[in-house]
Structures are given as structure tokens and as C-alpha cells.
Amino acid sequence: MKELEELASVSRKTIERNRKYIIAVTIILSEQFYYLRDYLKGRL
């Protein structure tokens, strides 16, 4: 958690509030969800 705070330059509270979103995006980008990944590339 501390490493993520430093890398993203955000507070722990912000990370905790958006935990589900962070996990979902990580799974989409690391797995073979090609269509979702292409959609997110325009958004991130």
C-alpha cells in the first residue's frame, strides 16, 4: 500500500476509497480482456 501511495502520489484514504476500481482496472489490463482494455485506453 505504501509503494502504491508513493508511485501514484495520492493518500492512503483515496486508494482505499477506490480500491475496487483499482483492482478491476489492474485485472483488465493484465488479463486478455482485449475489448475492455481498448476501451480503457481512451479513458485512462
Side-chain angles (χ1 to χ4, degrees), residues 3-17:
E3 289 179 36
L4 188 56
E5 281 181 74
E6 293 170 1
L7 286 172
S9 300
V10 295
S11 69
R12 178 180 289 266
K13 193 172 186 177
T14 301
I15 294 172
E16 284 295 329
R17 277 193 220 130

Side-chain angles (χ1 to χ4, degrees), residues 6-39:
E6 293 170 1
L7 286 172
S9 300
V10 295
S11 69
R12 178 180 289 266
K13 193 172 186 177
T14 301
I15 294 172
E16 284 295 329
R17 277 193 220 130
N18 296 299
R19 180 176 36 153
K20 290 180 183 179
Y21 175 77
I22 293 168
I23 292 169
V25 169
T26 303
I27 291 170
I28 290 169
L29 294 177
S30 66
E31 299 293 326
Q32 296 179 358
F33 296 106
Y34 302 115
Y35 297 113
L36 289 173
R37 188 182 314 158
D38 288 339
Y39 177 78

